[in-house]
DNA sequence: TATTGCATTTTGTGATAACATACTGCAGTA
DNA sequence: TACTGCAGTATGTTATCACAAAATGCAATA
């Protein structure tokens, strides 16, 4: 189920919904209610239900609809099912990977990419637009696209850290900053769990996700969507790069403790201290990591003089 | 020439190039050199030359190519030709206008928009992607798109100001901050000219552009592309909104003087003071303006209970 | 020797049609 | 009365084709 069909997405969303509301076994699940919650019509919801029925999550009764066949707790294990890496297109990651590893030159044409990744134009264009929006590719005025150094350049990597330090420390000082108690509690539990868990066993992807989620949760409390958007944008880029960075797992323990301290400071209402500490925390993370990212050749468009 | 054909764009770029390099009358203009500079092949460059020949800017000699028919100074007046609002799609502005004025509901479908604006799907999709990237529309999981409140909400407007204040004041403190002397001189001249000009005669669009250019010039000096990108993103949104805001022209004079003071502080190497003053400057601009933006009805997807 | 001119190849766009998917309203059912 | 089931409609996706635009290589020329 790697493909990002609407059905799979919705199935995951339905599971989340069940867990979030802690629904009991046997609970009726009206299509329309779910449809409203997911902002689609009943059709794709029903399709997702069929999918979940095959998994034994829900039970079907003719003319009565779908009913929960297990309670919320029993579904915990299913979380990973369709969710890891979410709604992202596979080809997107392939392109990112190939660019980072240098397989893709700096300049490419659409048809070249269509051939390479066996994509229909529509999908490719959507992916390229997304990448352009993330800032690491650019449409040339004539034909073709050009990768920008953002992804592959060491300096950009560090610039991203400084940017994060700035906006995150500013975000907690926003006048509209209000702590989201539930989110904070969840974040705290997650960090605690991390401290106790075997850090060596967690995948990089998971570690990264937990880390960024914490930071984004904090910035979301600012009530200023511009800060949150900006942070999410940097993090989307980082997600691609951090895979190639050697994770210093010995630092993770300290990182968790710092995260908890930030939550403490914020909950104590000490936003000034939290702001300063956030900055330190982020800048510290940068200087200690050593990205294995080298500048890429970046082939010129025209023939090079030999 | 409202359409953004590559030819027109390149013609404008060629004029810029001539002016920037202060080329003398009679100068030979090799196609390939221009093509390289503009990152396209000779074909569209030649097409742009043909266009410029009709305007009398260049002269043509068989088998020898194009030659400049006037010197750089004489071209000053031509600047406005294809340049005002640049490479933007007209339909983009229509959609923005209709959304801001409430003609477009919160939820729309692609074909609805195709009909309304007589656009082929490809162009519409490109526009919508751009808008999505700017953050004021969002793809629904099923069919259709939903406008986000970013554009129409008063609180978002103010959040944007605070965000700008944060990133701009942080940007000048970046370790890589280096003043771009040429850009600073140009900016200074422009502000001076503004002080002396009849402020009532300048169009809003022009005032806005000059203002944002100054701020973006400063942030560009930070050498950190994340700050610049973030600023540009907010400004793209602001551009759409500020058209509906009553410009307080009595404030423009003070604004110019503040701009000059910021440049002074930076050139004196006093980045700390510049940073603080930038923040004041931006936040001051916000509290004094009164946007005529009201929250829009934002029609629900499903039937509302009466 | 650098540049143009031109023919050829490649790329991207718009239009159209076939198909899959999503939406909606209403009759039927618990 | 609230929901499902289903049929009809609308929407979006993919494939394909013809055409326009851009890129490229090479002969001709200053």
């Amino acid at each position: 189920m790697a493909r990002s069909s609407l059905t799979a997405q919705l199935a995951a969303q339905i599971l989340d919904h069940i867990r979030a509301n802690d629904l009991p076994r046997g609970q009726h699940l009206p299509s329309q209610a779910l449809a409203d919650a997911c902002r689609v019509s009943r059709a794709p919801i029903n399709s997702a239900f069929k999918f979940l029925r095959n998994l034994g999550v829900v039970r079907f009764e003719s003319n009565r609809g779908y009913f929960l066949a297990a309670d919320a707790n029993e579904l915990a294990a299913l979380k990973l099912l369709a969710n890891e890496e979410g709604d992202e297109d596979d080809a997107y990651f392939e392109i990112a990977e190939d660019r980072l590893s240098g397989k893709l030159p700096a300049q490419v044409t659409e048809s070249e990419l269509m051939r390479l990744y066996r994509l229909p134009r529509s999908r490719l264009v959507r992916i390229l637009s997304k990448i352009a929006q993330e800032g690491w590719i650019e449409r040339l005025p004539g034909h073709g696209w050009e990768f920008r150094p953002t992804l592959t350049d060491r300096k950009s990597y560090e610039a991203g850290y400084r940017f994060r330090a700035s906006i995150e420390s500013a975000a907690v000082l926003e006048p509209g900053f209000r702590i989201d108690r539930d989110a904070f509690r969840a974040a705290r539990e997650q960090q605690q769990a991390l401290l106790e868990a075997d850090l060596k066993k967690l995948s990089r992807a998971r570690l990264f996700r937990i880390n960024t989620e914490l930071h984004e949760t904090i910035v979301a409390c600012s009530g200023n969507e511009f800060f949150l958007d900006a942070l999410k944008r940097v993090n989307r880029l980082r997600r691609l790069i951090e895979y190639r960075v050697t994770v210093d797992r010995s630092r993770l323990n300290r990182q968790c403790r710092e995260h908890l301290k930030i939550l403490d400071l914020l909950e104590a209402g000490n936003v000034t201290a939290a702001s300063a500490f956030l900055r330190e925390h982020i800048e510290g993370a940068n200087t200690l990591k050593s990205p294995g990212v080298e500048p890429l050749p970046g082939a010129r468009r025209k023939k090079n003089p030999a």
Side-chain angles (χ1 to χ4, degrees), chain A:
Chain A
M1 272 306 128
R3 80 173 184 289
S4 71
S5 85
L6 187 50
T7 304
Q9 273 180 58
L10 290 174
Q13 256 187 286
I14 292 174
L15 285 179
D16 282 344
H17 177 86
I18 293 167
R19 251 178 276 112
N21 297 50
D22 219 348
L23 301 179
R25 173 197 305 266
Q27 170 78 44
H28 184 203
L29 303 167
S31 304
Q32 189 62 62
L34 271 303
D36 288 346
C38 303
R39 308 199 297 175
V40 294
S41 71
R42 291 171 306 161
I45 290 288
N46 284 327
S47 148
F49 271 140
K50 264 177 209 140
F51 176 76
L52 289 175
R53 193 171 81 143
N54 289 335
L55 266 64
V57 177
V58 296
R59 175 167 42 79
F60 175 73
E61 287 183 33
S62 195
N63 276 322
R64 297 195 60 222
Y66 290 90
F67 297 82
L68 192 46
D71 65 18
N73 296 337
E74 302 174 85
L75 297 176
L78 277 171
K79 180 150 199 176
L80 318 167
L81 202 125
N83 227 3
E84 198 84 34
E85 283 324 340
D87 52 342
E88 203 71 69
D89 201 313
D90 287 346
Y92 168 87
F93 287 106
E94 287 180 52
I95 293 176
E97 178 58 31
D98 288 349
R99 175 54 191 155
L100 279 164
S101 70
K103 271 180 211 147
L104 281 177
Q107 300 209 6
V108 290
T109 63
E110 286 183 16
S111 23
E112 210 173 318
L113 295 172
M114 281 170 66
R115 277 194 295 274
L116 267 173
Y117 299 99
R118 304 277 167 79
L119 291 172
R121 161 145 296 106
S122 54
R123 219 143 67 88
L124 176 66
V125 169
R126 209 173 318 148
I127 294 174
L128 289 179
S129 310
K130 190 184 249 171
I131 296 181
Q133 158 192 162
E134 289 172 9
W136 49 285
I137 207 172
E138 193 178 23
R139 227 210 152 85
L140 290 170
H143 284 173
W145 299 72
E146 184 175 63
F147 286 104
R148 295 182 53 193
T150 322
L151 260 196
T152 47
D153 179 37
R154 167 78 200 231
K155 253 177 49 197
S156 297
Y157 180 84
E158 289 171 356
Y161 267 84
R162 285 200 305 279
F163 181 68
R164 281 176 60 217
S166 287
I167 58 172
E168 293 196 28
S169 59
V172 299
L173 297 176
E174 275 287 284
F177 188 89
R178 297 288 175 275
I179 287 173
D180 177 342
R181 300 278 165 198
D182 289 346
F184 263 49
R185 185 161 25 76
R188 200 180 278 280
E189 277 166 20
Q190 199 161 38
Q191 295 295 322
Q192 285 289 1
L194 222 51
L195 273 178
E196 288 150 24
D198 186 356
L199 289 171
K200 291 194 185 80
K201 276 193 177 159
L202 285 165
S203 75
R204 284 184 184 183
R206 203 168 161 65
L207 280 174
F208 179 74
R209 188 138 51 82
I210 292 175
N211 180 31
T212 54
E213 267 174 16
L214 180 112
H215 284 268
E216 289 177 9
T217 299
I218 292 172
V219 170
C221 295
S222 73
N224 187 327
E225 59 190 320
F226 291 99
F227 283 97
L228 185 56
D229 279 358
L231 177 60
K232 280 185 173 165
R233 281 173 69 77
V234 201
N235 281 341
R236 282 184 64 83
L237 272 185
R238 285 181 58 224
R239 177 183 54 158
L240 300 174
I241 300 172
E242 302 278 350
Y243 280 104
R244 329 202 111 239
V245 172
T246 323
V247 181
D248 180 357
R249 290 183 188 251
S250 67
R251 239 193 73 75
L252 287 175
N253 211 283
R254 176 166 157 208
Q255 198 183 55
C256 284
R257 277 183 280 114
E258 291 188 356
H259 283 160
L260 289 170
K261 178 169 173 191
I262 295 168
L263 296 177
D264 286 342
L265 287 170
L266 287 172
E267 290 195 311
N270 196 345
V271 284
T272 323
S275 172
F277 189 67
L278 249 176
R279 160 159 258 131
E280 256 181 68
H281 167 72
I282 296 169
E283 285 176 344
N286 174 26
T287 54
L288 287 179
K289 278 183 190 169
S290 143
V293 184
E294 298 100 34
L296 290 166
R300 300 281 315 153
R301 186 193 200 93
K302 316 294 174 188
K303 50 241 160 192
N304 296 351

